[in-house]
Amino acid sequence: MAVISSLLFPPVLTRRTITICSNSSKSMAAKKQIGEETSKRVFVCGGGVIGVCTAYFLAKKGIAVTLVEKSAVACAASGKAGGFLAFDWCDGSPVAHLARASFKLHRSLAEELNGVESYGYRALTTLSVTVTESKPGSGGLGLPDWVNGPAKSTSTIGTTQTTAQVHPQLFTRKLFSTAREKYGVEVVIGKLEEVRVESGRVNSVVLEGGRVIDTDVVVLAMGPWSSKFELLSSIFRVYCTKAHSIVLEPKEPNAITPHALFLTYRPAHGGEALDPEVYPRPTGEVYICGMSSQEEVPDDADQVTSNPESIQVLKRVAKTVSSYLNEENALVKAEQACFLPSTEDGVPVIGEIPGIKGCYVGTGHSCWGILNGPATGAALAELIVDGVATSVDLSRFSPSRFSKRR
């Protein structure tokens, strides 16, 4: 079992101002639009995976970055998600190329940041399994030994070449600490109140309490809280799905093999089948999620609470799937919920806000935020610095698609 390091919130570092060097004509043109400065000043709002990835890749390009977060880095969905990664599961959708690029980038980042040890990156075999709660049974053909409940109809839906995982909170915080310690990203704890615009271009931002920070570029990576920021909500709607999860700590963690389970779960009382997911982690934990609903996101991530009924269902799923995960053999380490942001057309919003030069957005990634965070951040960094994203075609994700409908 790999030892996963604990990443604490590191101390504030002094921002480094680094001269941008680029030989490309597009980069030079973009630079002239901002002004002949040694460095653009970029303000990233949001300490989730999208904001942190964007700050990381911008800082690697020599940009002076300030990241603002109201609570703490990875305190919401980026800390409470499953961290499942899939190479080709988005094929056939508008997100296909983004997902494939991001899966590969996760692999590269794991090599760069020692992800196996620092945030639990590993390849997985992924199984589809049907579990009927009322029927007795003991495992089934093709199942790992620890899945010893009434399971059947097993099929492999992901191999170690096409599916993997990270511990999302450790991943996000590792990327953040590297961005600060190695590339000089600054952090401000506060709430964004306003983006000030002068002559159609970003001029500064205003935080709660009246603090004004001058900046050339703003990136709004606010996740479900995009729905509460008028500049964004006036252009497109963000819907918030509340997803529940539990984290278990089995007494025999070495018995739990790296197999992710996507369940069709038939409750004993009948009714519709549920679709919970089970992710063993190299930390020795087992993460189980499901039971989602549409709800209004509260003003603060600290105000998000789980619904007791949903948590009880997940506990029942755990003990039905495996005796290693019942009350006698596993400690409940966390009972939690988080909000996942989706747009009205189901496609993320990534790009520059129409009519406001220097104002960018990255949100609406739904349940694929951890997977698509790196490619989103890298592409936004390219767009901001070079004037065009080359790693991923962002035209399908542009916020201008909503203004065209109105």
Side-chain angles (χ1 to χ4, degrees):
M1 181 174 64
V3 178
I4 310 300
S5 62
S6 176
L7 297 171
L8 301 178
F9 208 75
V12 174
L13 300 180
T14 302
R15 179 190 302 171
R16 298 187 306 173
T17 302
I18 306 174
T19 302
I20 302 175
C21 298
S22 175
N23 294 322
S24 73
S25 59
K26 288 178 180 177
S27 178
M28 292 302 293
K31 183 176 176 180
K32 287 179 180 179
Q33 287 179 349
I34 291 293
E36 294 298 331
E37 301 172 86
T38 57
S39 179
K40 292 178 186 177
R41 301 162 299 173
V42 179
F43 184 90
V44 177
C45 180
V49 69
I50 306 299
V52 168
C53 285
T54 304
Y56 177 82
F57 286 107
L58 280 167
K60 281 191 74 174
K61 287 178 171 287
I63 302 300
V65 179
T66 299
L67 184 144
V68 67
E69 164 57 43
K70 185 176 180 181
S71 299
V73 168
C75 64
S78 297
K80 298 174 182 177
F84 180 76
L85 313 176
F87 176 62
D88 55 3
W89 285 27
C90 296
D91 283 5
S93 79
V95 189
H97 294 298
L98 180 72
R100 282 175 169 254
S102 212
F103 185 87
K104 293 176 181 178
L105 193 48
H106 264 291
R107 187 177 295 161
S108 300
L109 286 169
E111 294 174 357
E112 177 184 340
L113 303 174
N114 188 22
V116 172
E117 294 294 328
S118 60
Y119 54 80
Y121 176 87
R122 69 175 176 183
L124 286 172
T125 297
T126 304
L127 305 175
S128 172
V129 182
T130 298
V131 175
T132 303
E133 193 175 65
S134 59
K135 293 185 178 180
S138 181
L141 186 65
L143 286 169
D145 291 342
W146 61 273
V147 183
N148 53 18
K152 63 177 184 177
S153 303
T154 306
S155 62
T156 300
I157 55 176
T159 69
T160 53
Q161 298 302 309
T162 61
T163 53
Q165 71 179 148
V166 296
H167 187 301
Q169 185 180 75
L170 295 181
F171 168 70
T172 306
R173 291 186 175 179
K174 174 63 176 178
L175 210 63
F176 174 69
S177 64
T178 303
R180 296 185 72 185
E181 294 164 8
K182 191 173 181 179
Y183 302 116
V185 170
E186 286 190 341
V187 64
V188 173
I189 298 299
K191 179 183 178 182
L192 178 66
E193 289 284 358
E194 180 187 357
V195 176
R196 288 185 174 172
V197 178
E198 185 176 316
S199 301
R201 182 183 298 280
V202 168
N203 172 270
S204 59
V205 295
V206 183
L207 303 185
E208 189 175 54
R211 180 181 176 184
V212 178
I213 301 176
D214 293 334
T215 189
D216 305 302
V217 175
V218 173
V219 180
L220 301 174
M222 305 170 77
W225 286 276
S226 303
S227 63
K228 292 184 175 291
F229 197 67
E230 186 178 357
L231 189 154
L232 297 180
S233 62
S234 65
I235 302 171
F236 58 88
R237 290 192 63 185
V238 169
Y239 299 88
C240 303
T241 301
K242 186 177 184 180
H244 290 79
S245 60
I246 58 175
V247 180
L248 304 178
E249 198 170 75
K251 292 180 181 178
E252 299 182 56
N254 292 330
I256 312 296
T257 55
H259 290 82
L261 308 179
F262 281 70
L263 305 178
T264 299
Y265 189 88
R266 306 188 187 283
H269 55 72
E272 291 187 8
L274 307 176
D275 300 304
E277 300 161 16
V278 181
Y279 305 135
R281 289 173 169 171
T283 54
E285 303 166 341
V286 176
Y287 174 98
I288 303 174
C289 64
M291 306 304 296
S292 60
S293 60
Q294 296 287 126
E295 293 187 26
E296 180 73 17
V297 66
D299 291 334
D300 197 300
D302 296 335
Q303 298 171 343
V304 178
T305 58
S306 58
N307 301 334
E309 299 84 359
S310 297
I311 296 300
Q312 288 305 313
V313 171
L314 293 177
K315 289 180 179 179
R316 201 168 74 238
V317 169
K319 69 180 182 181
T320 303
V321 167
S322 174
S323 62
Y324 290 94
L325 304 180
N326 64 26
E327 297 92 335
E328 293 78 23
N329 294 316
L331 172 70
V332 179
K333 193 173 179 180
E335 302 175 357
Q336 58 195 16
C338 62
F339 282 85
L340 308 177
S342 300
T343 61
E344 54 198 82
D345 61 5
V347 178
V349 188
I350 310 167
E352 192 170 28
I353 297 294
I356 309 177
K357 289 292 183 183
C359 187
Y360 298 82
V361 62
T363 191
H365 291 73
S366 187
C367 61
W368 292 115
I370 301 298
L371 167 64
N372 290 325
T376 298
L380 276 172
E382 293 166 351
L383 183 61
I384 291 165
V385 177
D386 304 324
V388 62
T390 54
S391 58
V392 177
D393 180 4
L394 292 181
S395 58
R396 180 64 181 85
F397 308 108
S398 173
S400 64
R401 70 185 190 267
F402 297 105
S403 59
K404 291 174 182 177
R405 296 177 186 177
R406 287 169 168 78

